[in-house]
Amino acid sequence: GAVVSQHPSWVICKSGTSVKIECRSLDFQATTMFWYRQFPKQSLMLMATSNEGSKATYEQGVEKDKFLINHASLTLSTLTVTSAHPEDSSFYICSARDLSSGANVLTFGAGSRLTVL
Amino acid sequence: DAKTTQPPSMDCAEGRAANLPCNHSTISGNEYVYWYRQIHSQGPQYIIHGLKNNETNEMASLIITEDRKSSTLILPHATLRDTAVYYCIVRVVGTNAGKSTFGDGTTLTVKP
């Protein structure tokens, strides 16, 4: 089945630094990938849609200059949290859809837990 | 997406069937019902989906009422590893699946 790999699984950084999270589709091509954020005991919140070869589409209230998204190839999307602050500490998850399945099913990465000190 | 309503939590004894309900009374004719689950500190996992017929796979069964206003996810023999948050989502096939709205889901606790 479709597999999405996310790296790193956890990261700790100092306030003011930038952190990059990678999302890869391992056995299928994904022209579109999705990034979510999840705070403790809350549901997933869609942050942005990553589009291969074009600009990402951000959800209302998500700062595009703070959460930089790059989708450079059909199998890789990256999320960079710039100038991270403690309030950015969260669980970040990516997903992609294997269009060849025709089922509109999302495959999720394992998530990346960011802790900003 | 049609709005879904799920109970916030449920308990189930290990080895017994877990029946998780979902209400989607405003579902439209071309919307499918999808179920995902999220085990603690992991990414969500797809379980099953259906339109109007009951569906079964190696993980679970999905029972959709005839009027399609509600559905039930059945885990036939729950194990401790099935403890997770279960999300019911309705979505039109062919539209942007990533835009799916994840509500609060049902926290299923399987007890020994």
Side-chain angles (χ1 to χ4, degrees), chain B residues 40-55:
Chain B
H40 184 62
S41 294
Q42 296 183 24
Q45 174 191 24
Y46 164 77
I47 302 173
I48 198 168
H49 75 284
L51 181 63
K52 53 184 178 181
N53 297 323
N54 297 337
E55 303 287 345

Side-chain angles (χ1 to χ4, degrees), chain B residues 59-79:
Chain B
M59 291 183 67
S61 294
L62 174 60
I63 307 298
I64 302 174
T65 58
E66 193 168 342
D67 63 7
R68 303 209 323 121
K69 293 185 177 182
S70 65
S71 61
T72 301
L73 178 74
I74 301 173
L75 307 178
H77 306 286
T79 70

Side-chain angles (χ1 to χ4, degrees), chain A residues 48-65:
Chain A
T49 301
S50 173
N51 304 299
E52 188 268 334
S54 64
K55 292 182 179 180
T57 305
Y58 291 82
E59 295 300 302
Q60 190 172 9
V62 178
E63 300 176 59
K64 61 180 180 180
D65 294 330

Side-chain angles (χ1 to χ4, degrees), chain A residues 1-110:
Chain A
V3 177
V4 171
S5 174
Q6 198 170 332
H7 178 82
S9 55
W10 59 271
V11 57
I12 301 173
C13 70
K14 293 182 179 180
S15 186
T17 61
S18 295
V19 174
K20 180 184 287 187
I21 301 170
E22 293 187 349
C23 180
R24 294 180 185 272
S25 56
L26 296 188
D27 48 1
F28 65 99
Q29 295 183 332
T31 56
T32 305
M33 292 184 177
F34 310 97
W35 288 95
Y36 308 80
R37 181 168 53 182
Q38 185 175 34
F39 292 108
K41 298 189 184 300
Q42 295 186 20
S43 189
L44 284 75
M45 287 183 52
L46 179 65
M47 298 175 65
T49 301
S50 173
N51 304 299
E52 188 268 334
S54 64
K55 292 182 179 180
T57 305
Y58 291 82
E59 295 300 302
Q60 190 172 9
V62 178
E63 300 176 59
K64 61 180 180 180
D65 294 330
K66 180 165 186 63
F67 299 100
L68 299 180
I69 291 173
N70 183 276
H71 196 144
S73 76
L74 288 171
T75 59
L76 173 64
S77 174
T78 60
L79 168 69
T80 301
V81 183
T82 62
S83 186
H85 288 96
E87 58 266 30
D88 298 322
S89 297
S90 188
F91 192 50
Y92 292 87
I93 308 169
C94 70
S95 75
R97 181 168 54 129
D98 181 1
L99 294 176
S100 66
S101 73
N104 211 27
V105 169
L106 292 171
T107 300
F108 289 82

